[in-house]
Amino acid sequence: MFAATLLGTSSYELEEPGVLAGPAAQLPNVQRELESNGPSLAAPLDPRTPLPPEAHAWVEQTLSRMSLSERAGQVLMVRAYGEYYAADAQERLELVRTIQELHLGGVILFRSQAYEATALIGDLQQAAAQISSVPLLMAADFEWGADFRIDGAVPFPTAMAVGATYNAEAAEWMGRATAADARALGIHWIFAPVADVNINPQNPVINVRAFGEDPVHVGRMVDAFVRGAQREGVLATAKHFPGHGDTAVDSHISLPVLAHNRERLQAVELAPFRAAIDAGVGSIMTAHLAVPALTADSRLPATLSPAILTDLLRTELGFEGLVVTDAMEMGGITRRWWGGQAAVESLVAGADMVLLPPNTRAAHGAVVAAVERGDLPAERLEDAVRRVLEAKARLGLAAGDRGRSLTSLSSRFALALEAEEAQQVADSAVTLLRDRSNLLPLDARQPRRIAVVGVSDNNTSAPTVDLVAALREPLGDVSSYSIDGRTRGDDAAEIVTAVARADVLILAVRVRLRTSSGTITLPSRQQRYAHMLAQLDVPTIVVALGSPYSAAAFPRASTLLAAYGWSGAMQRAAAHAIVGETPIGGKLPVSIPELYEVGFGLERPALDARLQVATTVAGDETSPEAEIVPDLAEAQAILERWVAEGAFPGAVYAVGHKNQLVGRGAVGRMTYDDNAAPTQVDSIFDLASLTKVIATTTVAMQAVERGHLRLDYSARALVPEFAGENKDKVTIRQLLTHTSGLPAYVEFYRDYEPGATGPDTRADVLERIYAVPLEAPPGSRYVYSDLGVILLGEVLTRALGEPFWEYAEREVFAPLGMAETGWLPDPALLDRIPPTERDPWRDRVVHGEVHDENTVALGGISSHAGLFSTVDDLSVFAQMLLNRGSYGHVRLARSGTVGSWVRRQEVVADSSRALGWDTAYGSESWGMFSPTAFGHTGFTGTSLWVDSRRQLFVVLLTNRVHPTRDNRKIRQARIDFHRAVVAAVDAASR
């Protein structure tokens, strides 16, 4: 719209009945297509699809050339960490030596850095190529995105959070996005999704890794994830077969027993695996747990059982893909089986790939020896190797796709699009379990002191940084504290004292999975301190950042939210739900015993924190529920009379009362010509000196609040060119209160040709302002000074390190959605811009360019004039001020900051000035308002006034200087109009 901005068309149309549109949360949209990072595949990843002839030939020819030792290596995988290694680092040398000497089939990546991981993958593929034509399968546990293992990746919601959306498209998106990131790194195989049905709340190893406890629902999500991932060219893995969701023992430590009969297993545990197989899943991972109903042995892990891997998985369920064991170094195996023996037994049972044997060389030797002895049939090993090679062929590895380029990683990995989609899914997952006092949502328009206490299940602080930041954005006054295993009584007492002064307490409880811990619960110490806080006489919101089952520990909490995770996205989602920025619609994918059934979840619509368009309430207006809208007919009639009397050709007004736009209208025409177009409510006016408060004062307020500036800094400290007697004593505060001693106005523009203005004249005008002598000692008297505000604009530009107008567009107008506010309007908008004066200096009617001549000399952009806007944009801005710095879930400044800036400063006796703003104190013209009301006027006939006591704002825009500035009737017209508005508002309030 404006040459000085990047803003588009207006966002303040009536998007829906009764709402003045502005910034609003995006609804979840998980259907966006992601660009594939993978190469064209040799064949679909569905193992039921026959390989093309050339791929089949490669598999058979490669297999026929392999020695027994090479075949034994192809069914083994080792771990690697994607971190920096020197060329002669022992860890690197040993890893390469193992891959080359044993001819390993693959590598699984653990905690890594993105660039280091990609570089390592390329190096390892090159190492493998030196001794074989068979590439490595690179794998990783990307259960909820690459962030599960890769630092710098986008943190996705947990599987249970996705389950809480009950949206299969969300699961498909996560599969696709995860796969795209994997291929960008050079990873071909992801050990995801978890297909376990988490029925047991005490399950210490699955929990939020599962989609839920309903086998049908879990199956739908698994199906969608698998299809999404494999469409992006990555092999997906359903795990942990035949089902690890109803166990209370961590298989990393010991061997769990799944003590259910066949009927129950078929109905519950196996259902999601059947869904995965039907979806064409490429691999299935085994579980280290005993299933006596299938093996008649309570000590035999499924990983080592032919009855489970061959009879059930291969024969009964018809799975044709790759079977991979869970890590063979886990306690569920090692407590009873030697690693070499376990590797052999798993292959005999029907596994095709042995993951992380405790001693890879020993496992390799054991497999070779077992074949030579006949304990492991050669045909069984050949079948396993064939499946490994088929997977590599399907992934395109036979065509030489061994790694990915580092140079293009940033354009393919962890894209901003993923973060946006992840946040949308996270927002839709948050589940409201309880809200007895209807505390949610917290309305930012009602100032509150918020205390956030993170409660951690270990000796590190709970992650609440993103939660607190997301709450501060709309709410402002948010303090944070932490309770963890290190907290002692004195620490807790200090927190209790601080929280007791808060208006709302948010307990963010992090209970997470910790592999090999054997438990998933909040320790008694932290739970005791958390209960102390929850029992204070402070409204409390408990947020479960992790296991939703932790909600059971807070039966007395009045408000309870489940977020299912502690990633930044889930923390922000919880904050969005708390303040009503997004609707709450998640449903429990698991039941919480004795409290909530699966599928439970209270719903809350998003809080529309924008300015509502008032409508008259039908029915008995004398009832307490009736909403009486002020009758502004007389106020509009006054404007029409003043148009008839020639005070201005046209006017547009807006009146807001109690967060409602109770009146908005247009009168008159663009000019006095009979055929002139009528003024419209979307007309764009030259705001003149309203620029001082809408832009400059707001930028200065933010600059001070954010630490870029202080009110009592010397202006000369930032602009040394501002030199002369007493100028070193001029402060930012004095520039804002017009007490600097600078003169009111100097007609610099007369020394320039109107058509020759630009950067050179701008610099020249600024230099002349710097040189103007003070007319009075700083702080001694009040003189409304354009020069002081022009100087303030340069001060802001230097303090911010960028032009103040660019900062204003980005940090003020854009966050509020003020898309029709800016300098230098586009000529295409001329038919919406009322002309101003017939200017003798320019020798023409000024139309679509700034009226103020000094601003023209400054290139059309100034801190004292030059801004153009509409009543709708200014209504949003005014409501933000009434809300003490917040609008539409956006906070421009803290409540206390706004309050102090719009308050009369009393810098000079009897001055009515606030910081930048004027006030109604002692004013004859503005005496209809409360003495603490604040506002400003503009020379072209514009004004904005805010009366906080009445919860009222009034915007009036006219082009009273058309055709000449000598027309002064605006003064009485303003008084008459505003008196009528205030009288109507007071009458309605009574």
Side-chain angles (χ1 to χ4, degrees):
M1 169 188 169
F2 298 104
T5 75
L6 297 178
L7 303 179
T9 56
S10 173
S11 63
Y12 288 97
E13 301 300 326
L14 288 177
E15 295 180 339
E16 54 188 277
V19 177
L20 186 64
Q26 296 292 319
L27 294 176
N29 170 21
V30 295
Q31 302 181 55
R32 188 180 297 138
E33 291 297 326
L34 296 178
E35 181 181 351
S36 174
N37 289 307
S40 58
L41 302 180
L45 295 179
D46 186 338
R48 298 168 298 185
T49 304
L51 284 172
E54 62 275 15
H56 175 74
W58 177 83
V59 169
E60 295 303 324
Q61 291 169 7
T62 302
L63 181 59
S64 67
R65 291 195 297 266
M66 283 184 172
S67 66
L68 173 58
S69 176
E70 290 172 331
R71 294 184 180 193
Q74 278 297 300
V75 298
L76 300 176
M77 293 188 80
V78 295
R79 75 160 38 81
Y81 295 91
E83 54 191 42
Y84 174 74
Y85 294 106
D88 60 350
Q90 187 60 36
E91 298 93 333
R92 179 193 184 96
L93 294 174
E94 180 57 30
L95 179 60
V96 170
R97 186 181 302 116
T98 302
I99 289 171
Q100 292 181 331
E101 293 179 357
L102 303 184
H103 296 268
L104 294 185
V107 174
I108 176 173
L109 213 62
F110 279 76
R111 201 74 225 173
S112 304
Q113 303 289 327
Y115 276 97
E116 284 80 355
T118 305
L120 178 66
I121 288 170
D123 289 348
L124 296 182
Q125 291 287 17
Q126 289 183 5
Q130 292 172 5
I131 52 91
S132 172
S133 63
V134 183
L136 294 167
L137 267 178
M138 302 303 303
D141 273 315
F142 287 178
E143 289 185 16
W144 51 77
D147 179 67
F148 200 79
R149 290 288 185 243
I150 307 294
D151 292 338
V154 172
F156 289 175
T158 61
M160 192 170 285
V162 175
T165 70
Y166 282 81
N167 182 358
E169 290 176 347
E172 182 186 4
W173 160 79
M174 189 156 74
R176 287 190 288 121
T178 300
D181 274 352
R183 289 305 300 233
L185 295 166
I187 291 170
H188 321 104
W189 191 6
I190 57 173
F191 294 155
V194 171
D196 301 318
V197 181
N198 198 88
I199 291 178
N200 192 332
Q202 302 304 316
N203 193 323
V205 69
I206 302 301
N207 200 278
V208 295
R209 297 167 66 193
F211 288 111
E213 73 171 44
D214 176 12
V216 175
H217 174 55
V218 173
R220 285 179 62 242
M221 306 307 260
V222 166
D223 174 291
F225 186 102
V226 167
R227 293 180 190 275
Q230 296 196 167
R231 268 203 295 269
E232 280 293 321
V234 164
L235 202 67
T237 306
K239 64 184 187 183
H240 308 81
F241 187 82
H244 208 324
D246 194 9
T247 61
V249 173
D250 185 349
S251 52
H252 293 85
I253 300 173
S254 190
L255 183 69
V257 177
L258 194 60
H260 296 298
N261 60 31
R262 284 178 174 268
E263 290 74 16
R264 152 60 193 260
L265 294 170
Q266 288 288 349
V268 178
E269 277 76 13
L270 296 179
F273 290 97
R274 286 196 296 269
I277 292 169
D278 289 343
V281 71
S283 68
I284 288 178
M285 179 180 283
T286 70
H288 302 329
L289 51 79
V291 191
L294 301 177
T295 64
D297 188 342
S298 62
R299 297 193 300 171
L300 180 64
T303 299
L304 308 184
S305 168
I308 294 176
L309 300 192
T310 298
D311 299 344
L312 176 59
L313 181 56
R314 291 290 189 205
T315 304
E316 184 176 336
L317 298 183
F319 179 59
E320 298 292 335
L322 197 61
V323 176
V324 58
T325 72
D326 204 344
M328 300 295 280
E329 62 191 9
M330 292 165 58
I333 294 292
T334 60
R335 276 181 173 251
R336 189 174 178 203
W337 277 269
W338 170 64
Q341 178 194 12
V344 171
E345 294 295 332
S346 68
L347 291 166
V348 171
D352 304 307
M353 182 68 86
V354 181
L355 179 63
L356 301 181
N359 185 317
T360 310
R361 292 183 180 276
H364 180 271
V367 171
V368 171
V371 172
E372 291 174 340
R373 291 194 310 269
D375 294 340
L376 172 61
E379 296 80 6
R380 170 76 272 274
L381 178 61
E382 181 177 292
D383 177 65
V385 176
R386 179 178 285 109
R387 291 184 192 276
V388 171
L389 294 176
E390 286 178 351
K392 293 181 179 183
R394 291 180 185 279
L395 288 162
L397 300 185
D401 176 44
R402 290 177 176 262
R404 303 299 289 171
S405 168
L406 275 175
T407 57
S408 61
L409 182 64
S410 61
S411 65
R412 294 179 285 109
F413 178 73
L415 301 179
L417 169 64
E418 290 180 9
E420 294 170 8
E421 298 281 12
Q423 191 61 62
Q424 290 169 11
V425 174
D427 287 341
S428 60
V430 175
T431 306
L432 180 59
L433 302 178
R434 188 186 305 144
D435 194 20
R436 292 172 182 152
S437 303
N438 290 318
L439 184 58
L440 297 184
L442 299 182
D443 192 337
R445 293 168 295 190
Q446 302 171 11
R448 293 182 176 94
R449 291 167 299 179
I450 311 296
V452 176
V453 179
V455 183
S456 173
D457 58 351
N458 61 13
N459 289 341
T460 61
S461 299
T464 60
V465 171
D466 292 288
L467 172 67
V468 170
L471 288 170
R472 278 184 180 147
E473 186 170 341
L475 298 176
D477 190 358
V478 181
S479 54
S480 63
Y481 310 91
S482 178
I483 290 174
D484 56 46
R486 301 164 299 179
T487 304
R488 295 297 180 263
D490 290 345
D491 305 320
E494 290 181 7
I495 295 172
V496 168
T497 300
V499 168
R501 295 192 292 265
D503 297 311
V504 177
L505 165 64
I506 298 173
L507 278 176
V509 182
R510 193 272 304 275
V511 176
R512 62 176 179 171
L513 292 164
R514 286 176 289 160
T515 299
S516 301
S517 69
T519 62
I520 179 167
T521 186
L522 190 63
S524 59
R525 178 197 302 273
Q526 291 95 305
Q527 187 165 311
R528 182 171 68 254
Y529 291 150
H531 283 165
M532 288 171 53
L533 294 170
Q535 290 169 8
L536 293 172
D537 188 22
V538 177
T540 301
I541 302 167
V542 174
V543 181
L545 292 177
S547 171
Y549 302 110
S550 63
F554 297 92
R556 297 178 59 184
S558 60
T559 304
L560 188 59
L561 281 170
Y564 309 102
W566 50 91
S567 71
M570 293 312 307
Q571 291 182 53
R572 287 187 292 273
H576 295 163
I578 288 170
V579 300
E581 186 171 346
T582 55
I584 303 176
K587 303 295 181 184
L588 274 176
V590 295
S591 57
I592 300 177
E594 301 181 8
L595 288 176
Y596 306 107
E597 295 296 323
V598 64
F600 177 80
L602 302 173
E603 295 185 359
R604 289 284 188 277
L607 174 65
D608 194 342
R610 300 171 296 176
L611 190 60
Q612 306 298 305
V613 178
T615 56
T616 303
V617 174
D620 182 9
E621 293 189 354
T622 63
S623 69
E625 294 80 14
E627 175 188 344
I628 308 301
V629 177
D631 184 356
L632 298 174
E634 175 60 22
Q636 178 154 331
I638 287 172
L639 290 179
E640 291 170 347
R641 287 199 297 270
W642 279 106
V643 167
E645 293 185 22
F648 32 76
V652 180
Y653 71 92
V655 178
H657 184 227
K658 295 182 178 179
N659 200 43
Q660 291 188 313
L661 190 70
V662 296
R664 178 176 59 169
V667 300
R669 297 178 179 275
M670 294 288 199
T671 70
Y672 288 114
D673 295 341
D674 292 340
N675 60 352
T679 305
Q680 303 291 335
V681 291
D682 67 346
S683 294
I684 301 168
F685 285 82
D686 180 342
L687 300 184
S689 285
L690 284 187
T691 303
K692 294 180 173 74
V693 288
I694 306 301
T696 311
T697 297
T698 310
V699 170
M701 180 171 62
Q702 285 193 346
V704 170
E705 183 176 275
R706 298 177 182 183
H708 303 300
L709 197 63
R710 289 185 182 274
L711 287 172
D712 295 316
Y713 276 176
S714 164
R716 188 177 175 186
L718 289 101
V719 185
E721 304 96 310
F722 181 57
E725 184 179 0
N726 283 329
K727 287 185 177 179
D728 59 326
K729 298 181 176 64
V730 174
T731 66
I732 310 305
R733 188 188 303 274
Q734 290 164 351
L735 295 177
L736 284 161
T737 56
H738 299 274
T739 57
S740 67
L742 281 165
Y745 194 75
V746 176
E747 294 180 339
F748 296 116
Y749 67 90
R750 294 192 179 278
D751 296 332
Y752 308 100
E753 292 295 327
T757 57
D760 291 339
T761 58
R762 179 180 183 85
D764 191 44
V765 170
L766 289 174
E767 288 179 7
R768 295 174 70 181
I769 291 174
Y770 303 152
V772 169
L774 300 184
E775 293 183 339
S780 64
R781 72 176 187 180
Y782 161 72
V783 173
Y784 181 81
S785 173
D786 278 0
L787 271 58
V789 179
I790 296 172
L791 174 61
L792 177 60
E794 185 62 16
V795 167
L796 291 172
T797 291
R798 299 192 187 190
L800 296 168
E802 63 177 308
F804 77 88
W805 58 90
E806 293 181 3
Y807 179 96
E809 290 163 358
R810 187 184 69 251
E811 299 294 333
V812 179
F813 308 150
L816 293 177
M818 295 171 64
E820 304 223 288
T821 301
W823 291 265
L824 303 175
D826 191 319
L829 297 170
L830 277 179
D831 61 344
R832 292 176 55 197
I833 302 174
T836 52
E837 190 174 18
R838 180 176 293 279
D839 180 14
W841 178 57
R842 281 171 276 194
D843 194 26
R844 64 176 183 274
V845 172
V846 177
H847 189 195
E849 59 181 314
V850 61
H851 172 262
D852 181 84
E853 297 92 343
N854 274 351
T855 303
V856 175
L858 288 163
I861 299 176
S862 179
S863 47
H864 80 293
L867 204 61
F868 286 73
S869 190
T870 63
V871 288
D872 280 354
D873 273 14
L874 295 184
S875 293
V876 168
F877 185 85
Q879 188 61 48
M880 177 273 294
L881 293 171
L882 273 176
N883 296 345
R884 290 297 185 96
S886 173
Y887 183 85
H889 304 292
V890 171
R891 179 162 291 281
L892 289 194
R894 291 191 291 269
S895 175
T897 301
V898 176
S900 64
W901 277 63
V902 301
R903 185 184 306 123
R904 178 173 167 259
Q905 295 296 294
E906 303 182 56
V907 175
V908 175
D910 297 327
S911 170
S912 60
R913 303 300 301 195
L915 290 171
W917 294 90
D918 199 1
T919 70
Y921 170 82
S923 172
E924 294 182 5
S925 298
W926 304 107
M928 72 288 294
F929 292 120
S930 305
T932 56
F934 59 95
H936 212 282
T937 61
F939 188 78
T940 53
T942 59
S943 63
L944 185 156
W945 279 86
V946 178
D947 189 337
S948 299
R949 288 187 182 177
R950 287 186 171 91
Q951 298 181 57
L952 169 70
F953 71 76
V954 186
V955 179
L956 177 62
L957 304 180
T958 79
N959 59 334
R960 72 94 189 170
V961 294
H962 181 80
T964 173
R965 71 184 66 194
D966 294 334
N967 181 358
R968 308 280 183 181
K969 295 179 182 179
I970 185 68
R971 293 179 178 176
Q972 190 60 44
R974 277 177 179 152
I975 292 172
D976 293 349
F977 171 72
H978 286 86
R979 280 178 179 168
V981 169
V982 171
V985 168
D986 288 350
S989 298
R990 288 193 295 268

